Amino acid sequence: LIEYKFIYHFPHQMQHIYPCWSLWRHFPNAKHVFLSRPRYHKDFVSGSAFTKGVQTVLKANNITTISVRMVDYIRWYRSNPSELLVAYTHRVDGFRAAHDDDMESLRRNTLTVFGMEQYIERYCGRAQARMSSHNQQDTSPISNADSVGDDASHHAPPSPPRIAIVNRGKTRQMFGMHNISSMLQHELELPYRPPVFFLEDTSFQQQVEAFSNVDILLSPHGAQLTLIPFMPPCSSVIEVIPHGYGHEAYFGTLAALSGVNHSFIYLGTDMAAETAEMDDREGQVAARNPPVCAPAFRMLQAIRIQYEQWHRCCRFDANTY
């Protein structure tokens, strides 16, 4: 049930989609319904290119979005002898799923719906190369010109991982990211320069494709990390958290549910104490709105750690399978 004014903001939309997917998936013979309050229904089904893409996935899985008050729906449904199962979440609780493979199921299903099956098994430099079919158009914010190196070898572990930086156009924009990208190419001896991209005004399909093409992602805390479940196996996300805005568990939980390694760089000294000091609406706005300037050496150190983690994961995967 979507029942608050933040429904236009897609992270909170996905907070409901993810636990509901668990319910729909494990009761395949049930009637699958997603309820939204009449006041916010239009925003959810057609508020943006992102929400329209989400609706495409729901419709492809025979999930019906209904504009109705929940009390009215339950009253109507009680006349039916079948059981009614309801998944309910609240925006401040973070992300949830019932089973440890539910997010992987959603990733595979979504990629299939959008005709991007080539990404399903594409990780650790193996399987099909990105956009392997010449009949498919690359719509990802990571353009072919900025493509991170694609080694199509089936030997593991290949080198290097696909590193990228997602930035924000308004609040919490990270300064100097093109310089950081050049530094990463030099320090890690990469055959490519890690792309820097933005997700504002992009569709759900484009965002899914972008995250499917990244093994190590550097990002400020923000809504863009809602797409973590669509990152490939063995991937990692490094979250840059502003001073006084210590909500590392919010996307950390989503990463854990998705099998994605999560680490963070906090731009302060005592996250718990500094976050507590900003624990009112005025303080939260002051903490989350300013631009972000993370020390270059900390970002490089964090990426080096995840670089090695990626290789260890790929070697384990190759030896296992």
Side-chain angles (χ1 to χ4, degrees), residues 124 142 148 160-166 184 188 190 192 194-195 197 210-219 225 231-239 260-263 299-312 314:
C124 291
I142 303 179
V148 289
R162 300 167 296 178
I163 302 172
I165 302 168
V166 58
L184 292 175
L188 299 176
L190 300 173
Y192 65 92
F197 62 97
F211 274 69
S212 297
N213 277 288
V214 179
D215 296 307
I216 300 175
L217 181 69
L218 176 65
S219 169
L225 292 178
M231 295 182 72
C234 292
S235 59
S236 301
V237 60
I238 302 166
E239 181 180 2
V260 172
N261 194 46
H262 175 266
S263 61
M299 290 187 282
L300 176 60
Q301 180 184 46
I303 288 178
R304 284 190 187 278
I305 292 171
Q306 299 308 325
Y307 192 102
E308 294 302 318
Q309 171 64 25
W310 181 83
H311 276 280
R312 287 195 297 270
C314 289

Short mmCIF file of all heavy atoms in Angstrom, two decimals, residues 124 142 148 160-166 184 188 190 192 194-195 197 210-219 225 231-239 260-263 299-312 314:
data_model
loop_
_atom_site.label_atom_id
_atom_site.label_comp_id
_atom_site.label_asym_id
_atom_site.label_seq_id
_atom_site.Cartn_x
_atom_site.Cartn_y
_atom_site.Cartn_z
N CYS A 124 32.51 -10.73 -14.11
CA CYS A 124 33.90 -11.21 -14.05
C CYS A 124 34.51 -11.32 -15.44
O CYS A 124 35.39 -12.15 -15.68
CB CYS A 124 33.99 -12.54 -13.31
SG CYS A 124 33.65 -12.40 -11.54
N ILE A 142 26.07 5.07 -19.50
CA ILE A 142 27.47 4.79 -19.79
C ILE A 142 27.57 4.55 -21.29
O ILE A 142 27.18 3.50 -21.80
CB ILE A 142 27.98 3.54 -19.04
CG1 ILE A 142 27.79 3.72 -17.53
CG2 ILE A 142 29.45 3.30 -19.35
CD1 ILE A 142 28.24 2.54 -16.73
N VAL A 148 33.61 0.86 -20.15
CA VAL A 148 34.67 0.26 -19.35
C VAL A 148 35.10 -1.03 -20.00
O VAL A 148 34.29 -1.75 -20.57
CB VAL A 148 34.18 0.03 -17.92
CG1 VAL A 148 34.04 1.36 -17.21
CG2 VAL A 148 32.87 -0.69 -17.85
N PRO A 160 40.80 -5.68 -16.20
CA PRO A 160 40.41 -5.24 -14.86
C PRO A 160 38.89 -5.28 -14.69
O PRO A 160 38.15 -5.51 -15.64
CB PRO A 160 40.90 -3.79 -14.86
CG PRO A 160 40.63 -3.35 -16.27
CD PRO A 160 40.87 -4.57 -17.15
N PRO A 161 38.40 -5.00 -13.48
CA PRO A 161 36.95 -4.86 -13.28
C PRO A 161 36.45 -3.56 -13.92
O PRO A 161 37.24 -2.65 -14.21
CB PRO A 161 36.81 -4.81 -11.76
CG PRO A 161 38.11 -4.26 -11.29
CD PRO A 161 39.14 -4.82 -12.23
N ARG A 162 35.17 -3.50 -14.11
CA ARG A 162 34.55 -2.30 -14.70
C ARG A 162 34.23 -1.31 -13.57
O ARG A 162 33.33 -1.54 -12.78
CB ARG A 162 33.27 -2.68 -15.46
CG ARG A 162 33.53 -3.67 -16.60
CD ARG A 162 32.24 -4.27 -17.13
NE ARG A 162 31.55 -5.09 -16.13
CZ ARG A 162 30.37 -5.69 -16.33
NH1 ARG A 162 29.77 -5.57 -17.50
NH2 ARG A 162 29.82 -6.41 -15.37
N ILE A 163 34.98 -0.24 -13.49
CA ILE A 163 34.82 0.78 -12.45
C ILE A 163 34.09 1.98 -13.04
O ILE A 163 34.34 2.38 -14.17
CB ILE A 163 36.20 1.21 -11.91
CG1 ILE A 163 36.96 0.00 -11.36
CG2 ILE A 163 36.05 2.28 -10.84
CD1 ILE A 163 38.40 0.30 -10.97
N ALA A 164 33.17 2.55 -12.27
CA ALA A 164 32.44 3.74 -12.73
C ALA A 164 32.09 4.61 -11.54
O ALA A 164 32.08 4.16 -10.38
CB ALA A 164 31.19 3.34 -13.50
N ILE A 165 31.79 5.87 -11.83
CA ILE A 165 31.39 6.84 -10.82
C ILE A 165 30.03 7.39 -11.21
O ILE A 165 29.86 7.91 -12.32
CB ILE A 165 32.40 8.00 -10.71
CG1 ILE A 165 33.80 7.47 -10.37
CG2 ILE A 165 31.94 9.03 -9.68
CD1 ILE A 165 34.90 8.51 -10.53
N VAL A 166 29.05 7.26 -10.33
CA VAL A 166 27.75 7.89 -10.57
C VAL A 166 27.69 9.13 -9.68
O VAL A 166 27.96 9.06 -8.48
CB VAL A 166 26.57 6.93 -10.30
CG1 VAL A 166 26.57 6.40 -8.88
CG2 VAL A 166 25.24 7.62 -10.60
N LEU A 184 42.33 7.42 -11.07
CA LEU A 184 42.11 5.98 -10.96
C LEU A 184 42.72 5.25 -12.16
O LEU A 184 43.33 4.19 -12.00
CB LEU A 184 40.62 5.69 -10.88
CG LEU A 184 39.90 6.14 -9.60
CD1 LEU A 184 38.40 5.90 -9.72
CD2 LEU A 184 40.46 5.42 -8.38
N LEU A 188 45.71 2.75 -11.02
CA LEU A 188 45.35 1.34 -11.15
C LEU A 188 45.80 0.76 -12.49
O LEU A 188 45.56 -0.42 -12.76
CB LEU A 188 43.84 1.16 -10.99
CG LEU A 188 43.26 1.61 -9.64
CD1 LEU A 188 41.73 1.47 -9.66
CD2 LEU A 188 43.86 0.79 -8.50
N LEU A 190 44.71 1.25 -15.51
CA LEU A 190 43.55 0.76 -16.25
C LEU A 190 43.70 1.08 -17.73
O LEU A 190 44.23 2.14 -18.10
CB LEU A 190 42.27 1.41 -15.72
CG LEU A 190 41.94 1.19 -14.24
CD1 LEU A 190 40.75 2.05 -13.84
CD2 LEU A 190 41.64 -0.29 -13.99
N TYR A 192 41.33 1.95 -19.55
CA TYR A 192 40.23 2.84 -19.85
C TYR A 192 40.12 3.86 -18.72
O TYR A 192 40.67 3.67 -17.63
CB TYR A 192 38.91 2.06 -19.96
CG TYR A 192 38.48 1.44 -18.64
CD1 TYR A 192 37.64 2.10 -17.75
CD2 TYR A 192 38.96 0.17 -18.26
CE1 TYR A 192 37.28 1.54 -16.54
CE2 TYR A 192 38.60 -0.40 -17.06
CZ TYR A 192 37.76 0.29 -16.19
OH TYR A 192 37.41 -0.27 -14.99
N PRO A 194 37.62 5.40 -16.06
CA PRO A 194 36.30 5.12 -15.51
C PRO A 194 35.29 6.21 -15.84
O PRO A 194 35.57 7.40 -15.63
CB PRO A 194 36.55 5.04 -13.99
CG PRO A 194 37.97 4.60 -13.89
CD PRO A 194 38.67 5.28 -15.03
N PRO A 195 34.15 5.85 -16.39
CA PRO A 195 33.16 6.85 -16.76
C PRO A 195 32.52 7.50 -15.55
O PRO A 195 32.36 6.88 -14.50
CB PRO A 195 32.13 6.05 -17.58
CG PRO A 195 32.27 4.66 -17.08
CD PRO A 195 33.73 4.49 -16.73
N PHE A 197 28.96 9.33 -14.69
CA PHE A 197 27.65 9.52 -15.31
C PHE A 197 26.62 9.98 -14.29
O PHE A 197 26.80 9.86 -13.08
CB PHE A 197 27.18 8.25 -16.02
CG PHE A 197 26.99 7.05 -15.13
CD1 PHE A 197 25.73 6.71 -14.65
CD2 PHE A 197 28.06 6.22 -14.80
CE1 PHE A 197 25.55 5.60 -13.85
CE2 PHE A 197 27.88 5.11 -13.99
CZ PHE A 197 26.62 4.80 -13.51
N ALA A 210 22.75 0.67 -16.92
CA ALA A 210 23.97 1.28 -16.40
C ALA A 210 24.54 0.48 -15.24
O ALA A 210 25.73 0.17 -15.20
CB ALA A 210 23.68 2.72 -15.97
N PHE A 211 23.70 0.12 -14.28
CA PHE A 211 24.17 -0.63 -13.11
C PHE A 211 24.58 -2.05 -13.49
O PHE A 211 25.42 -2.64 -12.81
CB PHE A 211 23.09 -0.64 -12.03
CG PHE A 211 23.12 0.56 -11.14
CD1 PHE A 211 22.77 1.81 -11.63
CD2 PHE A 211 23.53 0.46 -9.82
CE1 PHE A 211 22.81 2.94 -10.82
CE2 PHE A 211 23.57 1.57 -9.00
CZ PHE A 211 23.22 2.83 -9.50
N SER A 212 24.02 -2.59 -14.55
CA SER A 212 24.40 -3.93 -15.00
C SER A 212 25.80 -3.96 -15.60
O SER A 212 26.36 -5.03 -15.80
CB SER A 212 23.40 -4.44 -16.05
OG SER A 212 22.11 -4.58 -15.50
N ASN A 213 26.35 -2.78 -15.89
CA ASN A 213 27.65 -2.68 -16.54
C ASN A 213 28.76 -2.18 -15.61
O ASN A 213 29.77 -1.69 -16.09
CB ASN A 213 27.54 -1.75 -17.76
CG ASN A 213 27.00 -2.48 -18.96
OD1 ASN A 213 27.69 -3.30 -19.56
ND2 ASN A 213 25.76 -2.20 -19.32
N VAL A 214 28.55 -2.29 -14.31
CA VAL A 214 29.54 -1.79 -13.36
C VAL A 214 29.89 -2.89 -12.36
O VAL A 214 29.00 -3.51 -11.77
CB VAL A 214 29.01 -0.55 -12.61
CG1 VAL A 214 30.06 -0.06 -11.61
CG2 VAL A 214 28.66 0.56 -13.59
N ASP A 215 31.17 -3.10 -12.14
CA ASP A 215 31.65 -4.04 -11.12
C ASP A 215 31.99 -3.33 -9.81
O ASP A 215 31.79 -3.88 -8.73
CB ASP A 215 32.88 -4.80 -11.61
CG ASP A 215 32.57 -5.68 -12.81
OD1 ASP A 215 31.62 -6.49 -12.72
OD2 ASP A 215 33.26 -5.56 -13.84
N ILE A 216 32.53 -2.12 -9.90
CA ILE A 216 32.85 -1.32 -8.72
C ILE A 216 32.30 0.07 -8.95
O ILE A 216 32.70 0.77 -9.89
CB ILE A 216 34.37 -1.25 -8.46
CG1 ILE A 216 34.94 -2.66 -8.25
CG2 ILE A 216 34.67 -0.38 -7.25
CD1 ILE A 216 36.46 -2.69 -8.13
N LEU A 217 31.37 0.48 -8.08
CA LEU A 217 30.70 1.76 -8.26
C LEU A 217 31.03 2.69 -7.09
O LEU A 217 30.90 2.32 -5.93
CB LEU A 217 29.18 1.55 -8.32
CG LEU A 217 28.34 2.80 -8.52
CD1 LEU A 217 28.55 3.36 -9.93
CD2 LEU A 217 26.86 2.50 -8.29
N LEU A 218 31.46 3.91 -7.42
CA LEU A 218 31.69 4.95 -6.43
C LEU A 218 30.54 5.95 -6.54
O LEU A 218 30.25 6.44 -7.63
CB LEU A 218 33.03 5.65 -6.69
CG LEU A 218 33.38 6.83 -5.78
CD1 LEU A 218 33.57 6.37 -4.35
CD2 LEU A 218 34.63 7.53 -6.30
N SER A 219 29.88 6.25 -5.41
CA SER A 219 28.69 7.09 -5.47
C SER A 219 28.47 7.83 -4.16
O SER A 219 28.73 7.28 -3.08
CB SER A 219 27.46 6.21 -5.76
OG SER A 219 26.25 6.93 -5.59
N LEU A 225 21.31 4.91 -5.70
CA LEU A 225 21.74 3.60 -5.20
C LEU A 225 20.58 2.62 -5.04
O LEU A 225 20.80 1.45 -4.71
CB LEU A 225 22.48 3.76 -3.88
CG LEU A 225 23.84 4.47 -3.99
CD1 LEU A 225 24.48 4.63 -2.62
CD2 LEU A 225 24.77 3.71 -4.92
N MET A 231 23.15 -4.70 -10.08
CA MET A 231 24.58 -4.87 -10.32
C MET A 231 24.90 -6.36 -10.44
O MET A 231 24.20 -7.20 -9.87
CB MET A 231 25.38 -4.24 -9.18
CG MET A 231 25.21 -2.72 -9.10
SD MET A 231 26.20 -1.95 -7.78
CE MET A 231 27.86 -2.11 -8.47
N PRO A 232 25.94 -6.72 -11.18
CA PRO A 232 26.25 -8.14 -11.41
C PRO A 232 26.88 -8.81 -10.20
O PRO A 232 27.31 -8.13 -9.25
CB PRO A 232 27.24 -8.09 -12.58
CG PRO A 232 27.89 -6.76 -12.46
CD PRO A 232 26.83 -5.82 -11.93
N PRO A 233 26.95 -10.12 -10.19
CA PRO A 233 27.63 -10.84 -9.10
C PRO A 233 29.08 -10.37 -8.96
O PRO A 233 29.70 -9.93 -9.92
CB PRO A 233 27.56 -12.31 -9.56
CG PRO A 233 26.35 -12.37 -10.42
CD PRO A 233 26.31 -11.05 -11.15
N CYS A 234 29.60 -10.46 -7.75
CA CYS A 234 30.97 -10.06 -7.40
C CYS A 234 31.18 -8.54 -7.43
O CYS A 234 32.31 -8.07 -7.31
CB CYS A 234 32.02 -10.74 -8.29
SG CYS A 234 32.15 -12.52 -8.02
N SER A 235 30.12 -7.78 -7.56
CA SER A 235 30.26 -6.33 -7.66
C SER A 235 30.31 -5.69 -6.28
O SER A 235 30.01 -6.31 -5.26
CB SER A 235 29.10 -5.73 -8.47
OG SER A 235 27.86 -6.05 -7.87
N SER A 236 30.70 -4.41 -6.25
CA SER A 236 30.83 -3.65 -5.01
C SER A 236 30.34 -2.23 -5.23
O SER A 236 30.47 -1.67 -6.32
CB SER A 236 32.28 -3.61 -4.54
OG SER A 236 32.80 -4.90 -4.33
N VAL A 237 29.83 -1.63 -4.17
CA VAL A 237 29.48 -0.21 -4.20
C VAL A 237 30.17 0.47 -3.03
O VAL A 237 30.22 -0.06 -1.91
CB VAL A 237 27.94 -0.01 -4.14
CG1 VAL A 237 27.35 -0.60 -2.87
CG2 VAL A 237 27.60 1.47 -4.23
N ILE A 238 30.76 1.64 -3.30
CA ILE A 238 31.42 2.46 -2.29
C ILE A 238 30.59 3.73 -2.15
O ILE A 238 30.49 4.53 -3.08
CB ILE A 238 32.86 2.80 -2.69
CG1 ILE A 238 33.66 1.50 -2.91
CG2 ILE A 238 33.52 3.67 -1.62
CD1 ILE A 238 34.97 1.72 -3.62
N GLU A 239 29.98 3.91 -0.99
CA GLU A 239 29.06 5.02 -0.76
C GLU A 239 29.76 6.13 0.03
O GLU A 239 30.33 5.87 1.09
CB GLU A 239 27.84 4.50 0.01
CG GLU A 239 26.78 5.53 0.31
CD GLU A 239 25.62 4.94 1.08
OE1 GLU A 239 25.65 3.74 1.42
OE2 GLU A 239 24.66 5.69 1.36
N VAL A 260 25.64 -7.80 -3.08
CA VAL A 260 26.62 -6.81 -3.53
C VAL A 260 27.42 -6.35 -2.32
O VAL A 260 26.86 -6.03 -1.26
CB VAL A 260 25.92 -5.60 -4.20
CG1 VAL A 260 26.91 -4.48 -4.50
CG2 VAL A 260 25.20 -6.05 -5.47
N ASN A 261 28.74 -6.30 -2.45
CA ASN A 261 29.58 -5.84 -1.35
C ASN A 261 29.41 -4.34 -1.16
O ASN A 261 29.41 -3.58 -2.13
CB ASN A 261 31.04 -6.18 -1.64
CG ASN A 261 31.91 -6.04 -0.40
OD1 ASN A 261 31.56 -6.50 0.67
ND2 ASN A 261 33.05 -5.39 -0.57
N HIS A 262 29.26 -3.91 0.08
CA HIS A 262 29.02 -2.49 0.37
C HIS A 262 30.06 -1.97 1.36
O HIS A 262 30.34 -2.61 2.37
CB HIS A 262 27.62 -2.32 0.96
CG HIS A 262 27.31 -0.91 1.40
ND1 HIS A 262 27.51 -0.47 2.70
CD2 HIS A 262 26.82 0.15 0.71
CE1 HIS A 262 27.14 0.81 2.78
NE2 HIS A 262 26.73 1.20 1.60
N SER A 263 30.63 -0.82 1.04
CA SER A 263 31.51 -0.13 1.98
C SER A 263 31.20 1.36 1.87
O SER A 263 30.50 1.79 0.95
CB SER A 263 32.99 -0.40 1.68
OG SER A 263 33.32 0.06 0.37
N MET A 299 39.25 7.69 -1.46
CA MET A 299 38.51 7.04 -2.54
C MET A 299 39.38 6.02 -3.26
O MET A 299 38.94 4.92 -3.58
CB MET A 299 37.97 8.09 -3.52
CG MET A 299 36.84 8.93 -2.93
SD MET A 299 36.06 10.05 -4.11
CE MET A 299 37.29 11.35 -4.16
N LEU A 300 40.63 6.38 -3.50
CA LEU A 300 41.56 5.44 -4.14
C LEU A 300 41.78 4.22 -3.26
O LEU A 300 41.76 3.07 -3.75
CB LEU A 300 42.89 6.14 -4.42
CG LEU A 300 44.00 5.25 -5.00
CD1 LEU A 300 43.57 4.64 -6.34
CD2 LEU A 300 45.30 6.05 -5.14
N GLN A 301 41.96 4.43 -1.96
CA GLN A 301 42.15 3.31 -1.04
C GLN A 301 40.94 2.39 -1.03
O GLN A 301 41.07 1.15 -1.07
CB GLN A 301 42.42 3.85 0.36
CG GLN A 301 42.65 2.77 1.41
CD GLN A 301 42.81 3.35 2.80
OE1 GLN A 301 42.03 4.22 3.21
NE2 GLN A 301 43.83 2.89 3.53
N ALA A 302 39.74 2.97 -0.99
CA ALA A 302 38.52 2.16 -0.97
C ALA A 302 38.37 1.35 -2.25
O ALA A 302 37.98 0.18 -2.22
CB ALA A 302 37.31 3.07 -0.77
N ILE A 303 38.71 1.96 -3.39
CA ILE A 303 38.57 1.24 -4.66
C ILE A 303 39.63 0.16 -4.77
O ILE A 303 39.36 -0.93 -5.31
CB ILE A 303 38.64 2.24 -5.83
CG1 ILE A 303 37.34 3.06 -5.85
CG2 ILE A 303 38.84 1.51 -7.16
CD1 ILE A 303 37.29 4.12 -6.92
N ARG A 304 40.83 0.40 -4.27
CA ARG A 304 41.86 -0.66 -4.28
C ARG A 304 41.38 -1.88 -3.50
O ARG A 304 41.57 -3.03 -3.93
CB ARG A 304 43.16 -0.15 -3.66
CG ARG A 304 43.97 0.77 -4.56
CD ARG A 304 45.34 1.01 -3.93
NE ARG A 304 46.11 2.01 -4.64
CZ ARG A 304 46.83 1.76 -5.73
NH1 ARG A 304 46.85 0.54 -6.25
NH2 ARG A 304 47.52 2.74 -6.30
N ILE A 305 40.74 -1.66 -2.35
CA ILE A 305 40.24 -2.77 -1.54
C ILE A 305 39.18 -3.55 -2.31
O ILE A 305 39.21 -4.79 -2.36
CB ILE A 305 39.66 -2.24 -0.22
CG1 ILE A 305 40.78 -1.69 0.67
CG2 ILE A 305 38.89 -3.34 0.52
CD1 ILE A 305 40.28 -0.96 1.90
N GLN A 306 38.25 -2.85 -2.95
CA GLN A 306 37.20 -3.54 -3.69
C GLN A 306 37.74 -4.17 -4.98
O GLN A 306 37.20 -5.17 -5.46
CB GLN A 306 36.06 -2.56 -4.02
CG GLN A 306 35.38 -1.97 -2.79
CD GLN A 306 34.94 -3.05 -1.80
OE1 GLN A 306 34.53 -4.14 -2.18
NE2 GLN A 306 35.04 -2.74 -0.51
N TYR A 307 38.79 -3.59 -5.53
CA TYR A 307 39.46 -4.15 -6.70
C TYR A 307 39.98 -5.55 -6.37
O TYR A 307 39.75 -6.51 -7.13
CB TYR A 307 40.62 -3.23 -7.08
CG TYR A 307 41.26 -3.47 -8.42
CD1 TYR A 307 40.96 -2.66 -9.50
CD2 TYR A 307 42.21 -4.48 -8.60
CE1 TYR A 307 41.58 -2.86 -10.74
CE2 TYR A 307 42.83 -4.69 -9.81
CZ TYR A 307 42.51 -3.88 -10.89
OH TYR A 307 43.11 -4.08 -12.10
N GLU A 308 40.65 -5.69 -5.22
CA GLU A 308 41.16 -7.00 -4.80
C GLU A 308 40.01 -7.94 -4.43
O GLU A 308 40.07 -9.13 -4.73
CB GLU A 308 42.12 -6.83 -3.63
CG GLU A 308 43.40 -6.09 -3.99
CD GLU A 308 44.16 -6.80 -5.11
OE1 GLU A 308 44.24 -8.05 -5.08
OE2 GLU A 308 44.66 -6.09 -6.01
N GLN A 309 38.98 -7.40 -3.81
CA GLN A 309 37.82 -8.21 -3.45
C GLN A 309 37.16 -8.79 -4.70
O GLN A 309 36.73 -9.95 -4.72
CB GLN A 309 36.82 -7.36 -2.65
CG GLN A 309 35.46 -8.02 -2.41
CD GLN A 309 35.56 -9.26 -1.54
OE1 GLN A 309 36.50 -9.39 -0.75
NE2 GLN A 309 34.61 -10.18 -1.69
N TRP A 310 37.07 -8.00 -5.73
CA TRP A 310 36.47 -8.46 -6.98
C TRP A 310 37.27 -9.63 -7.56
O TRP A 310 36.69 -10.63 -7.99
CB TRP A 310 36.41 -7.29 -7.97
CG TRP A 310 35.79 -7.64 -9.30
CD1 TRP A 310 34.46 -7.69 -9.60
CD2 TRP A 310 36.48 -7.97 -10.51
NE1 TRP A 310 34.27 -8.03 -10.92
CE2 TRP A 310 35.51 -8.21 -11.50
CE3 TRP A 310 37.82 -8.07 -10.84
CZ2 TRP A 310 35.84 -8.55 -12.81
CZ3 TRP A 310 38.15 -8.41 -12.15
CH2 TRP A 310 37.17 -8.65 -13.12
N HIS A 311 38.57 -9.51 -7.56
CA HIS A 311 39.41 -10.60 -8.08
C HIS A 311 39.26 -11.86 -7.25
O HIS A 311 39.18 -12.97 -7.79
CB HIS A 311 40.88 -10.16 -8.14
CG HIS A 311 41.22 -9.40 -9.38
ND1 HIS A 311 41.47 -10.00 -10.59
CD2 HIS A 311 41.32 -8.06 -9.60
CE1 HIS A 311 41.74 -9.09 -11.51
NE2 HIS A 311 41.65 -7.90 -10.94
N ARG A 312 39.22 -11.72 -5.92
CA ARG A 312 39.05 -12.91 -5.07
C ARG A 312 37.70 -13.57 -5.33
O ARG A 312 37.61 -14.80 -5.42
CB ARG A 312 39.16 -12.51 -3.60
CG ARG A 312 40.56 -12.20 -3.14
CD ARG A 312 40.65 -12.16 -1.62
NE ARG A 312 39.82 -11.09 -1.06
CZ ARG A 312 40.27 -9.84 -0.84
NH1 ARG A 312 41.52 -9.53 -1.15
NH2 ARG A 312 39.47 -8.94 -0.31
N CYS A 314 35.91 -13.45 -8.07
CA CYS A 314 35.90 -14.05 -9.42
C CYS A 314 36.70 -15.35 -9.44
O CYS A 314 36.31 -16.31 -10.10
CB CYS A 314 36.43 -13.07 -10.44
SG CYS A 314 35.32 -11.69 -10.78
#
